[in-house]
Amino acid sequence: MTTHTFDIVVLGGGSGGYAAALRASELGKSVALIEKDKVGGTCLHRGCIPTKALLHAAEVAEHVRDAAHVGITATLEGIDPVGVRAYREGIVAKKFKGLEGLVKARGITTVAGMGRLNPDRSVSVGDDVYVGSDVILATGSYSRTLPGLDIGGRILTSEQALSLDVIPERVLILGGGVIGVEFASVWRSFGAEVTIIEALPHLVPNEDVVLSKGLERAFRRRGIQYSLGIRFASAVQDDTSVTVTLEDGKEFTADYLLVAVGRGPVTADLGFEEAGVALDRGFVTVDQDLRTGVPGIWAVGDIVPGLQLAHRGFQQGIAVAERIAGLSPVTIPDSQIPKVTYSSPEVASVGLSEESAVAAHGADAVVSYEYNLAGNGKSEIIGTGGLVKVVRLKDGPVLGVHLLGDRVGELITEGQLAVVWEAHPEDIAPLIHAHPTQSEALGEAFLALAGKPLHAL
């Protein structure tokens, strides 16, 4: 057994883990980054990046189909799934190589292997032991399934879906959240018949209901089918198909079933509880500064209760590294972290929904405004519908910004600034949004809430 000593040992090299390692190294700390697979984790290799590459390929396919609408003669001859996979894997490989180079340049020691936390706060990897003054747990998440629903064959998680070398003719998606909606958008653009099955009353049910309803209308126009408000009962498969039965007896049959019912924390059998780290339903219990109940042990990313977002993991990893170094970074609550669903159209939001704002402040204290993208020149040019919704306190600050439309995810940072800085629409209204851009739609909403609408009544 060989013991290696560092200032910080990071268990898990995904978004939260490698961000913590990079920032800690910048602050002069020696760091060991332990990763069982590849640095970058799920987001880089099996999640955010490869799915966005698929969505771009899907967007290209839609543009070719619609080329005649803008006076371009083009024909979509088909989708080459092997070629799409090569494109996706090329993007991931390039980003991975860059990340590896960055980690190496920062002097971080990368340890390949499965790490396990010991009761004395050290981390074992095979016969080696890594000891740090501080340990950061960042072991990430896995694709959940439902009781009695076994993954395999024609029943897939997002990881298996990415590996398909065929375009399904018919596909069922169990779960209408972010992952399910994104895959539905991709597969429909590639020509598949898609049906989403969501037990709650709306798609993307964690969003403001106006965005959920708008996305449902857009998906209907695209030919994406969905069943809402009825729970899954069972699924059976044979060599050629999968049949899903709902609790009301209704059946759906397709070539494949994608299970997209959320992600669970990877914390089992890693020694956490034996080391005194408290778990709640598998998630690590932490305080507002991401400290566990064991001195010197911290947790970040998907194993911490709350939004499971790569950029949340980045922010948490950076914050913990700075706290270990004696700095006092600002704590960003989940409500102030931007969320984006990268479908067509996109859904983006930050802050409180109107329903949440009313619950917190009362109906008489909350005002909202919706601006339709039909009035936005750039949105008309790129052929997207949608809306901007801004929620504010009456005579007070912006509480939430909610967007629907292609490419609107690029606008949500302005919404975050407005919410976090508690800006009043009257503060933002004098600022100029370049013309013609989609950002003008946000400007129009702020103008309207400030009492001086321009391109709206």
Side-chain angles (χ1 to χ4, degrees):
M1 183 180 73
T2 303
T3 299
H4 310 268
T5 302
F6 295 83
D7 294 326
I8 299 174
V9 175
V10 182
L11 183 55
S15 302
Y18 84 69
L22 290 172
R23 184 63 179 130
S25 177
E26 284 182 339
L27 294 168
K29 302 293 185 180
S30 61
V31 183
L33 180 61
I34 300 169
E35 170 54 47
K36 66 180 181 180
D37 189 7
K38 294 179 179 179
V39 173
T42 295
C43 178
L44 175 54
H45 299 284
R46 299 173 297 280
C48 322
I49 299 301
T51 56
K52 303 316 167 283
L54 283 182
L55 282 156
H56 178 64
E59 183 182 36
V60 171
E62 294 289 3
H63 284 330
V64 174
R65 285 194 187 97
D66 199 40
H69 178 70
V70 297
I72 305 297
T73 301
T75 303
L76 181 65
E77 296 182 359
I79 308 295
D80 174 11
V82 176
V84 172
R85 181 173 182 173
Y87 160 70
R88 169 176 58 80
E89 290 178 345
I91 296 292
V92 171
K94 185 175 181 180
K95 297 295 103 184
F96 177 49
K97 184 177 180 180
L99 179 58
E100 280 190 310
L102 180 59
V103 169
K104 183 178 180 180
R106 295 277 175 85
I108 296 165
T109 299
T110 302
V111 180
M114 173 69 77
R116 180 180 176 84
L117 185 64
N118 298 317
D120 63 359
R121 296 192 319 157
S122 64
V123 178
S124 294
V125 182
D127 293 330
D128 291 312
V129 175
Y130 295 83
V131 177
S133 301
D134 289 272
V135 176
I136 302 174
L137 307 178
T139 45
S141 61
Y142 67 93
S143 294
R144 288 187 185 274
T145 185
L146 297 177
L149 182 57
D150 296 327
I151 304 301
R154 293 181 173 273
I155 301 176
L156 318 170
T157 66
S158 58
E159 288 88 345
Q160 288 88 45
L162 281 170
S163 299
L164 283 180
D165 279 335
V166 298
I167 305 298
E169 291 185 10
R170 303 170 302 161
V171 63
L172 303 175
I173 298 176
L174 184 59
V178 172
I179 295 172
V181 162
E182 291 183 4
F183 271 95
S185 189
V186 168
W187 275 325
R188 184 57 185 157
S189 292
F190 287 170
E193 295 180 8
V194 180
T195 301
I196 303 171
I197 298 167
E198 170 55 56
L200 294 175
H202 292 289
L203 298 180
V204 289
N206 293 325
E207 298 290 349
D208 190 289
V209 69
V210 72
L211 299 189
S212 296
K213 290 181 177 180
L215 181 66
E216 290 160 15
R217 289 191 296 270
F219 270 19
R220 275 200 304 273
R221 289 193 293 268
R222 292 188 59 195
I224 297 172
Q225 305 298 313
Y226 46 83
S227 168
L228 303 174
I230 303 171
R231 296 170 63 90
F232 164 88
S234 64
V236 294
Q237 62 174 310
D238 55 29
D239 292 340
T240 60
S241 65
V242 181
T243 297
V244 169
T245 303
L246 304 187
E247 288 186 346
D248 66 353
K250 190 172 184 179
E251 292 185 346
F252 301 87
T253 300
D255 303 331
Y256 292 93
L257 168 64
L258 170 64
V259 180
V261 293
R263 298 185 63 83
V266 176
T267 56
D269 302 319
L270 293 176
F272 290 5
E273 290 180 290
E274 293 86 342
V277 175
L279 302 181
D280 180 11
R281 294 169 297 147
F283 291 95
V284 177
T285 301
V286 294
D287 64 14
Q288 67 173 6
D289 290 331
L290 301 167
R291 294 180 177 88
T292 71
V294 180
I297 299 182
W298 312 70
V300 301
D302 285 0
I303 62 173
V304 175
L307 297 174
Q308 292 179 313
L309 300 169
H311 46 280
R312 175 180 180 257
F314 291 148
Q315 182 267 335
Q316 290 184 340
I318 292 167
V320 164
E322 292 181 349
R323 289 183 184 118
I324 291 172
L327 304 178
S328 300
V330 174
T331 297
I332 305 296
D334 277 7
S335 64
Q336 295 180 356
I337 296 174
K339 301 178 294 182
V340 183
T341 301
Y342 297 91
S343 55
S344 179
E346 288 183 351
V347 175
S349 65
V350 65
L352 299 181
S353 67
E354 183 170 9
E355 183 180 14
S356 297
V358 167
H361 301 284
D364 293 340
V366 174
V367 179
S368 68
Y369 180 80
E370 296 177 22
Y371 180 81
N372 196 303
L373 291 188
N376 177 257
K378 186 61 179 286
S379 295
E380 184 72 20
I381 290 166
I382 67 174
T384 186
L387 60 92
V388 168
K389 179 176 181 177
V390 177
V391 181
R392 73 171 299 185
L393 278 179
K394 187 179 294 183
D395 301 321
V398 173
L399 299 175
V401 174
H402 309 274
L403 312 173
L404 174 70
D406 289 340
R407 306 184 188 178
V408 296
E410 303 297 336
L411 307 180
I412 198 58
T413 297
E414 180 181 345
Q416 184 188 34
L417 292 175
V419 170
V420 173
W421 288 348
E422 298 183 343
H424 291 222
E426 292 81 1
D427 299 326
I428 306 171
L431 303 180
I432 298 171
H433 292 77
H435 177 74
T437 65
Q438 284 186 290
S439 71
E440 289 180 284
L442 259 178
E444 293 284 352
F446 292 135
L447 282 167
L449 285 172
K452 47 181 181 181
L454 182 61
H455 294 97
L457 298 175

